[in-house]
Amino acid sequence: MKISCHLHKRMSERNISYDVINLIMSLGDFSKNGERIILNKDTIDIAIKHTDELKKRLTNIREKNGGTLVLANDALITSFFHYGKNHAKNNQRKNKEKHKRKHYCHTSSAPES
């Protein structure tokens, strides 16, 4: 959207940054006649609530060292958290792999005569 010289002047006079303009454009609602974009207090409160919820979700994912989605042919195939090397789930997985290897080696050995 184009920005008029008048807007630049008013932004300067009223100490309104481009970040504020972008927030109003992103979160605000058009007036009935479509001449204004209005970001009111109620909408701001809803946005803050959603931001708090987003922060909780992101914190949860961060505690697991992030997450990954695996894609193939425009479809989601699987998802997983990264966890740390010393995380209990990774240790369980390693123990299962060791057990499978031991079991595999044991079953693949030649029978005794």
Side-chain angles (χ1 to χ4, degrees):
M1 185 174 283
K2 293 180 183 178
I3 296 177
S4 70
C5 292
H6 179 78
L7 175 63
H8 279 288
K9 189 174 180 181
R10 294 297 171 257
M11 286 173 63
S12 179
E13 288 173 355
R14 298 170 181 159
N15 196 26
I16 297 174
S17 68
Y18 285 104
D19 289 338
V20 171
I21 299 295
N22 286 329
L23 281 170
I24 293 171
M25 289 178 62
S26 298
L27 301 174
D29 295 316
F30 280 95
S31 62
K32 290 180 183 178
N33 63 8
E35 292 180 350
R36 298 176 183 203
I37 302 173
I38 302 165
L39 179 59
N40 61 32
K41 189 176 178 180
D42 292 338
T43 305
I44 293 168
D45 290 342
I46 291 168
I48 290 170
K49 179 181 175 188
H50 287 292
T51 303
D52 290 342
E53 291 170 4
L54 177 62
K55 184 178 178 180
K56 287 177 189 175
R57 288 187 193 123
L58 288 171
T59 300
N60 187 335
I61 295 169
R62 187 176 188 282
E63 288 172 355
K64 297 170 183 163
N65 293 328
T68 296
L69 298 175
V70 179
L71 313 167
N73 300 324
D74 291 330
L76 291 173
I77 302 300
T78 190
S79 63
F80 57 89
F81 292 115
H82 298 170
Y83 294 111
K85 289 182 179 180
N86 296 323
H87 190 270
K89 285 193 180 280
N90 285 338
N91 291 334
Q92 288 173 354
R93 191 175 299 120
K94 287 176 189 176
N95 290 337
K96 283 182 183 179
E97 288 172 4
K98 286 179 185 177
H99 179 47
K100 283 181 183 178
R101 282 186 289 215
K102 287 179 182 177
H103 183 70
Y104 175 77
C105 292
H106 177 69
T107 57
S108 65
S109 60
E112 294 182 23
S113 0

